Amino acid sequence: MADLLNNTPNNYGDDAIVTLSPREHIRLRPGMYVGVVGDGSQPDEALYVLIKEVVDNSIDEFIMGAGKQIDITIEDNVVTVRDYGRGIPLKSLAAAVGQMNTGGKYGGEAFKKTVGLNGVGVKAVNMLSSEFTARSVRDGEAHTVTFAKGIEQSDRWESGVQEKNGTYISYRVDEEIFGPYTYNMEYVEQKIRNYSYLNLGLTLTLNGRKFVSKNGLLDLLNDNMTEEPLYEPIHLVGEDIEVVLTHGTGYGESYDSFVNGQHTTQGGTHQAAFRQAVAKTVKEFFHKDYDPSDIRTSIIAAISIKVADPLFENQMKTKFGSKEVEPGVSVNNFVTEFLAKHLDDYLHKHPETVQILQKKIVDNEKERKAISGVQKKAREIAKKVSLNNKKLRDCKIHRTDKHELADRTMIFITEGLSASSSVTKCRDARTQAVFSLRGKPLNCYGLTKKVVYLNEEFNLLQAALNIEEDIENLRYEKVIVATDADVDGMHIRLLITSFFLQFFPDVIRQGHLYILQTPLFRVRNKKENFYCYNEEERQVAVARCGANAEITRFKGLGEISDTEFKNFIGETMRLDRVRITKDDPIHDLLEFYMGKNTFERQGFIIDNLRIEEDLVDSDLN
């Protein structure tokens, strides 16, 4: 009776306590080990982390001076990686790829300044694959083991083989865990390019295509820049450190940072030290107390360091946490002393660069001071407006918190009260916030940053995101534009995207901006219910529901009930990440989509209107 009165289910006994094996835990909770399990549509999903985990081991061989080529193939969803390093010690092969917390990177002389740390990576690949093969060749001897879902299937030894030393790994990701998936080769190629930039002398092949770099981070910067640099990039190389930097014409700061070849997309202590050291060195060179923001605004840079025992803040190794590069030498001092000498030397030898750099700093200073007056008024407005009651329904945890869910935080930017109400009622209030737009945002193309403070919507959005001072203060890991699936919704997406491109491009560059996909149709009968995001999915659903199929066309988020909406912002939500590549110059993008009408843009609009008309026609059939 007490249980009934307390409404507490009486089913929590000893049999509810479960102990999982490492294999079972990885397969049950893959996100803890390899990140988001998706279908391959986003570059930071687990599919690409698994490739990285295998290739990292081959890169570590190269770092140790063993093997100058790595061959990678992806065919029919089977990934193979063959290096020509020392080969995994033959007797330990099965344990090295199949037994958790087993490896040669826990200290000692076999590996130094490498990425592998925890003896987890390739084992996670094995246990998340429906088929997995590892083969090691050492001086004419070979050992091959095969697995299925982490369980060993076969073991074969050979002698007198005519193969070069090295390791071969082949696997197929398990669809029981991942569902249907497809590799986006553009994402894979970018990872392979990064490996080449960071490992001079190494040749990588991807499906037969060679990737090799002659100039390291300088090649990375030149290949990836989305705008013309104001001056020739400054490229500095020292022992265990390499940096490159220049300035563009836009707002924000753009950095790529690496530790032991690992792309630290979320930065860390090395990137923070670099930002501070650049400002300090430039101020001391000019003997002027410039504001650091005036020095760094529009900077485009990259830094790579090598560390003996790196510490990362997660298994995916996207944020570097070490305070020392080696015992007694702090990361901050290491980076600062390098720039203090080498960047200062470079500036003394290149007066033409100095002239351009100083003009850029002065221009940044003038613009900052020009808007300082409206900044104060705008901050007062943001404080007076009750964000928590009118514009922002905040969440309890934020990206900047020391919390295990910090990297799962997100904010939905919605249009109108009905849509924001639907999202608010069914969200997870721990990690999901909602910001409600009032009408269509201003087209900010061609305007200065002063408009961010003069326009109430932009001012309040900036305040909600907490990005006025520094992008590192961003309060949410994902900023998600959630608009209706119609022409007006598309227009609002473009206006919001333009806002970030124009004034806060780092939100996009660092992978924080997304578009929420919402269903266009609901197809159901008495037994089944399907939500469809395109015409193809609708046709499949109609076929499954049969002649009694009931079809609803959703034209606005407000039409979707709170109960239904919960399906679209939970674990299975569909997001399109907004990306900038070297083929997407920011100025050209803004000019095309948001500038004066051109025949090309008119054609783009007409073509997309035709798509909308086709969807409307399909509703009537």
Side-chain angles (χ1 to χ4, degrees):
M1 178 63 71
D3 288 334
L4 292 175
L5 292 174
N6 292 327
N7 196 29
T8 302
N10 189 20
N11 58 359
Y12 181 50
D14 289 327
D15 58 350
I17 305 300
V18 178
T19 300
L20 299 178
S21 69
R23 170 186 169 275
E24 290 169 332
H25 194 266
I26 287 177
R27 289 180 63 82
L28 182 65
R29 298 283 187 264
M32 290 183 59
Y33 300 88
V34 296
V36 178
V37 173
D39 60 3
S41 59
Q42 302 300 327
D44 54 357
E45 289 178 352
L47 279 179
Y48 308 106
V49 175
L50 295 180
I51 294 174
K52 184 193 78 67
E53 293 290 0
V54 178
V55 176
D56 277 352
N57 290 336
S58 297
I59 294 292
D60 288 347
E61 285 295 305
F62 170 77
I63 290 173
M64 295 306 298
K68 295 184 177 180
Q69 182 170 328
I70 301 171
D71 298 325
I72 304 141
T73 64
I74 300 178
E75 187 174 352
D76 296 330
N77 281 352
V78 174
V79 178
T80 63
V81 179
R82 171 64 155 104
D83 67 44
Y84 301 89
R86 295 166 292 185
I88 297 173
L90 300 186
K91 292 182 180 179
S92 301
L93 178 63
V97 300
Q99 187 173 326
M100 286 288 284
N101 307 317
T102 302
K105 301 172 184 176
Y106 296 124
E109 299 297 316
F111 293 93
K112 290 184 177 181
K113 298 181 180 177
T114 59
V115 174
L117 299 171
N118 304 318
V120 173
V122 75
K123 270 74 77 175
V125 179
N126 182 355
M127 295 169 190
L128 294 173
S129 297
S130 56
E131 54 190 68
F132 179 95
T133 299
R135 178 178 174 83
S136 180
V137 180
R138 280 192 154 198
D139 303 323
E141 300 290 315
H143 186 193
T144 304
V145 290
T146 65
F147 293 77
K149 303 176 183 179
I151 300 174
E152 187 171 336
Q153 304 293 305
S154 68
D155 183 297
R156 186 174 79 255
W157 289 79
E158 300 169 77
S159 298
V161 299
Q162 302 297 310
E163 299 175 38
K164 293 182 179 179
N165 286 356
T167 302
Y168 168 95
I169 300 289
S170 175
Y171 68 91
R172 182 193 297 274
V173 168
D174 190 355
E175 288 197 10
E176 283 187 14
I177 294 175
F178 283 74
Y181 62 88
T182 303
Y183 288 100
N184 184 319
M185 295 307 294
E186 179 186 345
Y187 300 158
V188 181
E189 287 177 9
Q190 186 56 57
K191 289 185 181 296
I192 303 306
R193 283 195 187 93
N194 284 344
Y195 281 122
S196 70
Y197 298 138
L198 296 162
N199 297 279
L200 299 185
L202 174 65
T203 298
L204 300 107
T205 68
L206 176 61
N207 290 347
R209 180 182 175 187
K210 287 188 177 181
F211 293 85
V212 62
S213 173
K214 295 181 179 179
N215 303 297
L217 291 185
L218 180 61
D219 288 340
L220 179 148
L221 202 73
N222 287 328
D223 289 349
N224 293 336
M225 271 193 296
T226 59
E227 57 184 304
E228 287 296 318
L230 292 180
Y231 53 86
E232 193 72 22
I234 301 170
H235 187 207
L236 308 171
V237 181
E239 185 176 356
D240 293 336
I241 185 170
E242 178 182 3
V243 303
V244 60
L245 67 111
T246 185
H247 278 77
T249 57
Y251 293 97
E253 306 172 32
S254 175
Y255 301 97
D256 280 295
S257 62
F258 304 85
V259 175
N260 292 6
Q262 169 63 37
H263 195 183
T264 44
T265 54
Q266 293 182 310
T269 54
H270 59 322
Q271 186 169 306
F274 179 66
R275 294 177 71 236
Q276 295 171 7
V278 167
K280 183 175 186 292
T281 302
V282 170
K283 286 169 66 174
E284 291 178 353
F285 175 83
F286 285 114
H287 302 291
K288 290 182 178 291
D289 191 23
Y290 289 127
D291 190 289
S293 66
D294 296 331
I295 295 171
R296 294 194 298 251
T297 293
S298 308
I299 195 172
I300 305 167
I303 177 172
S304 172
I305 65 172
K306 293 183 179 179
V307 178
D309 293 302
L311 296 176
F312 297 94
E313 295 191 7
N314 53 34
Q315 170 60 25
M316 280 64 74
K317 306 182 183 77
T318 54
K319 189 170 185 178
F320 181 55
S322 297
K323 294 183 178 180
E324 293 184 330
V325 294
E326 59 184 51
V329 181
S330 73
V331 171
N332 188 67
N333 287 343
F334 178 66
V335 175
T336 299
E337 290 174 7
F338 176 79
L339 287 181
K341 181 180 189 308
H342 296 280
L343 178 56
D344 184 78
D345 287 349
Y346 185 96
L347 294 176
H348 275 97
K349 295 176 183 177
H350 295 82
E352 68 286 352
T353 296
V354 169
Q355 184 177 1
I356 297 170
L357 175 59
Q358 188 166 34
K359 182 179 185 304
K360 177 59 179 171
I361 295 170
V362 171
D363 288 345
N364 289 341
E365 184 179 52
K366 286 179 180 178
E367 181 171 359
R368 178 176 57 82
K369 290 181 177 179
I371 64 176
S372 61
V374 296
Q375 274 182 309
K376 183 177 180 181
K377 184 177 180 181
R379 287 170 185 155
E380 291 174 354
I381 292 173
K383 288 180 181 179
K384 288 180 180 178
V385 173
S386 180
L387 286 175
N388 287 326
N389 292 327
K390 293 184 179 180
K391 302 291 293 183
L392 176 67
R393 305 294 194 274
D394 206 0
C395 51
K396 296 177 182 178
I397 302 166
H398 297 107
R399 173 177 173 266
T400 49
D401 294 340
K402 293 293 184 181
H403 194 283
E404 61 181 3
L405 297 178
D407 61 355
R408 299 185 64 181
T409 55
M410 60 192 74
I411 183 170
F412 296 95
I413 302 175
T414 64
E415 52 171 318
L417 294 177
S418 60
S420 64
S421 176
S422 293
V423 179
T424 301
K425 289 178 181 177
C426 63
R427 67 181 173 137
D428 182 343
R430 295 177 305 163
T431 58
Q432 295 179 324
V434 183
F435 183 90
S436 179
L437 293 170
R438 186 183 66 230
K440 288 186 179 180
L442 177 71
N443 180 356
C444 62
Y445 174 64
L447 303 178
T448 68
K449 201 169 187 178
K450 188 175 182 179
V451 74
V452 176
Y453 300 95
L454 291 174
N455 181 273
E456 183 175 309
E457 290 290 296
F458 287 160
N459 178 38
L460 296 179
L461 177 58
Q462 172 186 255
L465 298 177
N466 196 33
I467 54 177
E468 178 187 3
E469 299 292 340
D470 195 322
I471 185 64
E472 294 300 315
N473 298 330
L474 179 65
R475 301 173 79 223
Y476 313 95
E477 183 63 28
K478 289 184 172 68
V479 179
I480 302 171
V481 182
T483 62
D484 291 344
D486 58 15
V487 173
D488 284 339
M490 173 69 77
H491 190 201
I492 292 174
R493 291 181 190 178
L494 290 175
L495 290 167
I496 291 295
T497 302
S498 296
F499 165 75
F500 287 108
L501 279 171
Q502 181 88 349
F503 302 119
F504 301 101
D506 299 335
V507 171
I508 300 177
R509 289 192 184 110
Q510 295 182 20
H512 296 296
L513 186 63
Y514 293 80
I515 304 296
L516 176 69
Q517 290 187 35
T518 50
L520 294 174
F521 308 100
R522 181 185 60 211
V523 181
R524 64 183 178 183
N525 57 23
K526 292 183 178 180
K527 295 182 179 180
E528 295 181 287
N529 201 8
F530 299 96
Y531 297 98
C532 310
Y533 291 76
N534 53 51
E535 178 61 21
E536 182 180 355
E537 290 184 9
R538 188 188 80 133
Q539 291 177 4
V540 171
V542 169
R544 289 192 60 175
C545 287
N548 295 321
E550 174 191 315
I551 304 171
T552 301
R553 166 73 160 98
F554 295 123
K555 295 184 179 180
L557 301 186
E559 297 177 352
I560 303 175
S561 70
D562 305 337
T563 303
E564 288 179 304
F565 215 107
K566 192 170 185 177
N567 297 309
F568 316 132
I569 61 171
E571 292 293 329
T572 59
M573 93 170 95
R574 299 193 193 183
L575 296 175
D576 290 328
R577 179 175 161 185
V578 180
R579 302 172 62 240
I580 306 174
T581 71
K582 63 178 181 178
D583 299 320
D584 302 317
I586 291 177
H587 177 272
D588 294 347
L589 281 174
L590 289 171
E591 173 65 30
F592 179 81
Y593 289 110
M594 310 311 296
K596 295 180 180 179
N597 264 332
T598 64
F599 289 114
E600 291 84 0
R601 188 159 73 106
Q602 290 175 23
F604 172 83
I605 293 172
I606 291 170
D607 288 344
N608 280 275
L609 282 175
R610 286 174 183 151
I611 293 173
E612 178 69 15
E613 289 168 359
D614 289 344
L615 288 173
V616 173
D617 290 343
S618 70
D619 296 343
L620 304 177
N621 296 330

